[in-house]
Amino acid sequence: MPTQVTAFPWVPPFAQGFVRDLRVRWALEEAGLPYEVILVDPATKSSADYRRWQPFAQVPAYRDDEVELFESGAIVLHIAAKSEALAPKEPAGRERAMMWVIAALNSVEPQVQNFVTLDAFYGGEAWVEGFRPKAWAMTRERLAALEDWLQAKEWLEDRFTVGDLVMTCVLRELIESGSLKTFPVVEAYVERCLARPAFGRALEAQLETFRRHAPAA
């Protein structure tokens, strides 16, 4: 069976380049593994068949000749287990790469999302401006910790791993707001990760699908 990844045919412009099948595409590109994209429209994602694959009617869902999975973190960890391009073979290095994936998703992403979604989803609501300083303070605390960790380091560990991939996907959502400029070491780290050819291929593949399925003007 070819490796399959589900994705949306189109999303509004503010979400393009950020739908989480991008994380899986990037991991597959780094690993040099071919894959097939299964496009999931609103009717399909709500169907009983799809919910047996992805119970929350989201993307991405993933399958290969070994497993069926959902949740981007679980999927990229599965891909990393198949490829030394994403995690060292030796157990200690592999476990530390996994640790950084979990840190990105549990310690960093909730704070980043609390901050970046204020304008994307709640712009104009009365409570937003009161909450914004608190949301930024919590995000800033995580960024400061990463700034300290990354001093004199190229990657989170001694080489690029799946931990860097997921951490970068989380942090790049802060680029548009300019928030990373306060943390130049983190900003340079994100730029370094995004300059990887595999990321460029994954991003272009997602965006090309959106261009192809854009609503008629």
Side-chain angles (χ1 to χ4, degrees), residues 55-88:
F56 303 107
Q58 298 171 321
V59 302
Y62 170 99
R63 62 163 63 106
D64 60 21
D65 55 5
E66 298 176 358
V67 296
E68 285 193 358
L69 296 170
F70 63 92
E71 289 296 330
S72 61
I75 296 166
V76 298
L77 285 172
H78 172 70
I79 297 166
K82 297 158 72 77
S83 172
E84 288 187 60
L86 288 167

Side-chain angles (χ1 to χ4, degrees), residues 4 8 10 27-28 30-31 48 70 73 77 87 90-91 99 118 121 126 152 158-159 161 163 174 180 188 193-194 210:
Q4 297 178 333
F8 294 137
W10 187 82
L28 289 165
E30 291 282 356
F70 63 92
L77 285 172
E90 52 90 12
M99 171 189 74
L118 289 177
F121 295 107
D158 59 0
R159 48 155 289 193
T161 73
L174 293 165
L180 290 181
C193 292
L194 296 180
F210 296 149

Side-chain angles (χ1 to χ4, degrees), residues 141-184:
E141 181 180 358
R142 296 295 192 252
L143 292 174
L146 284 172
E147 185 87 353
D148 289 343
W149 179 265
L150 285 164
Q151 295 290 336
K153 290 187 178 75
E154 188 174 12
W155 314 111
L156 293 169
E157 295 292 316
D158 59 0
R159 48 155 289 193
F160 179 86
T161 73
V162 66
D164 297 292
L165 185 155
V166 177
M167 186 67 77
T168 299
C169 286
V170 170
L171 295 174
R172 67 186 284 262
E173 300 212 23
L174 293 165
I175 293 174
E176 185 175 353
S177 68
S179 304
L180 290 181
K181 294 190 179 303
T182 313
F183 300 93

Side-chain angles (χ1 to χ4, degrees), residues 5 9 47 65 87 90 92 94 98 136 140 154 172 186-187 194 196 198 206-207 217:
V5 180
S47 68
D65 55 5
E90 52 90 12
R94 184 175 67 249
M98 292 172 59
W136 172 236
R140 188 177 61 229
E154 188 174 12
R172 67 186 284 262
V186 174
E187 184 179 42
L194 296 180
R196 294 178 69 84
Q206 187 185 80
L207 295 178

Side-chain angles (χ1 to χ4, degrees), residues 1-15:
M1 170 188 293
T3 295
Q4 297 178 333
V5 180
T6 64
F8 294 137
W10 187 82
V11 295
F14 78 88

Side-chain angles (χ1 to χ4, degrees), residues 9-25:
W10 187 82
V11 295
F14 78 88
Q16 293 181 13
F18 294 96
V19 186
R20 291 181 183 179
D21 61 282
L22 180 66
R23 302 174 181 187
V24 179
R25 294 175 189 256

